[in-house]
Amino acid sequence: MKSDKKILLADVNTFITCVLCKGYLIDATTITECLHTCMKLLNFFNQFFFFNFVQIVCKKCIVEYLEENTNCPICDTLLHQSHPLLYIAHDRTLQSIVYKLVPNLERSELERQLKYFDDNQLEYPRELKEKLEQFNLLTDKKLEAKNCDKKPETNGQSKPEVVSNYHRDDEQIALSLEPLDGLKELERKYILCSCHSTITHLKKFVAHKIYSNIDLYKELDIMCNDEILGKDHTLKFILVTKWKDKVMLDN
């Protein structure tokens, strides 16, 4: 019978720290253009479970780095001469692992975010509110203020404060959504989207049109060139990396 092998946090520190700031990863971000595997890390973790790693940095660190540079800080690969930020992606899986490995790291990060929003008198984003409630970091006073933020509706209708342009000023990408595996064909399969739209946005759109229930989007997959696309991939990223027939995009 194989005995369990204990792993000290010091043994994995090298693999869960940012290569730029040398601190533990916060908002772990993958550089997608140079998906080379760190073999030293891979061999280490393969002793315990199969895992595939790419180069990871903190989101804040890589965004600040790419404001002045266009190359990967690890292997010097050119990301993009003018839009390098399109070639990074949030790695939720690794960030979850880091939070589980490092005691109190997630709570400390939430406390820093809470202080920032309070000092600048900013409203908490919905996702942050949920995390703060989960860690019991919202005081009764803040909970009361949060409940007061919900404005009562007038005659069953609420008026929007700001009229949005719905990303019409973004670079637009035209695409065709073709059904597979007997799915119902969309009434309008040709759509025009912001380049910042993600595959999750498309899946929710299709679920709403086909099932009349946006919550069923997880049952759908979006494919390009016979490859299932990641839920966090933007259309711009897919256009640059996945699309083979570039001539069709110009028509």
Side-chain angles (χ1 to χ4, degrees):
M1 181 177 178
K2 186 177 178 180
S3 59
D4 294 336
K5 184 176 180 179
K6 290 186 177 180
I7 306 175
L8 299 177
L9 183 59
D11 296 332
V12 298
N13 269 346
T14 305
F15 312 126
I16 58 175
T17 54
C18 173
V19 298
L20 294 175
C21 70
K22 308 303 179 184
Y24 286 119
L25 289 167
I26 300 296
D27 284 338
T29 302
T30 301
I31 303 170
T32 58
E33 180 66 11
C34 48
L35 291 176
H36 49 285
T37 301
C38 178
M39 293 307 298
K40 180 181 178 182
L41 176 58
L42 181 60
N43 292 334
F44 177 86
F45 273 91
N46 273 345
Q47 300 175 53
F48 313 104
F49 49 83
F50 177 77
F51 216 98
N52 191 24
F53 282 81
V54 293
Q55 302 295 354
I56 305 292
V57 290
C58 296
K59 182 178 181 180
K60 177 178 181 292
C61 296
I62 190 60
V63 169
E64 290 179 350
Y65 174 84
L66 293 178
E67 287 178 354
E68 303 292 337
N69 303 273
T70 57
N71 59 304
C72 171
I74 299 138
C75 66
D76 207 36
T77 297
L78 178 66
L79 305 185
H80 194 280
Q81 291 182 346
S82 55
H83 301 291
L85 290 176
L86 294 176
Y87 296 88
I88 62 175
H90 182 42
D91 192 326
R92 290 181 174 83
T93 302
L94 181 56
Q95 188 60 61
S96 176
I97 293 174
V98 174
Y99 282 151
K100 285 179 172 61
L101 287 175
V102 184
N104 298 321
L105 178 63
E106 186 173 13
R107 185 182 186 88
S108 298
E109 175 60 21
L110 287 172
E111 289 174 348
R112 283 191 288 268
Q113 292 186 35
L114 180 63
K115 184 178 185 303
Y116 172 82
F117 279 91
D118 286 346
D119 290 347
N120 292 276
Q121 297 182 344
L122 298 174
E123 184 180 354
Y124 305 146
R126 180 175 58 84
E127 186 175 348
L128 177 59
K129 283 182 182 179
E130 294 174 355
K131 282 289 186 181
L132 292 173
E133 291 174 352
Q134 180 182 341
F135 282 82
N136 296 319
L137 291 176
L138 281 177
T139 63
D140 293 338
K141 183 178 179 180
K142 290 177 180 176
L143 282 171
E144 182 179 352
K146 183 190 73 169
N147 293 329
C148 290
D149 288 341
K150 298 179 180 179
K151 298 182 179 180
E153 296 184 352
T154 304
N155 297 328
Q157 295 181 349
S158 59
K159 297 182 179 180
E161 295 182 357
V162 180
V163 177
S164 171
N165 66 356
Y166 300 101
H167 296 279
R168 290 189 178 93
D169 293 336
D170 295 345
E171 177 185 350
Q172 302 294 307
I173 294 180
L175 64 148
S176 172
L177 295 172
E178 301 286 349
L180 295 175
D181 299 330
L183 285 176
K184 176 184 175 183
E185 186 169 345
L186 295 175
E187 182 178 351
R188 296 180 179 178
K189 64 179 181 180
Y190 298 103
I191 61 175
L192 191 66
C193 300
S194 163
C195 66
H196 301 302
S197 301
T198 65
I199 294 303
T200 296
H201 292 140
L202 288 183
K203 291 168 67 173
K204 289 182 177 180
F205 170 77
V206 174
H208 174 67
K209 293 297 183 181
I210 292 180
Y211 303 124
S212 297
N213 186 351
I214 198 172
D215 294 332
L216 297 178
Y217 75 95
K218 293 182 180 179
E219 299 182 7
L220 298 171
D221 285 317
I222 304 290
M223 303 181 67
C224 178
N225 295 325
D226 299 323
E227 179 181 351
I228 296 179
L229 301 174
K231 61 185 176 69
D232 295 320
H233 286 174
T234 64
L235 295 184
K236 182 66 175 182
F237 173 77
I238 296 167
L239 175 69
V240 174
T241 62
K242 307 288 185 182
W243 206 283
K244 295 179 181 178
D245 193 353
K246 300 293 180 67
V247 178
M248 289 182 61
L249 298 178
D250 296 330
N251 296 332

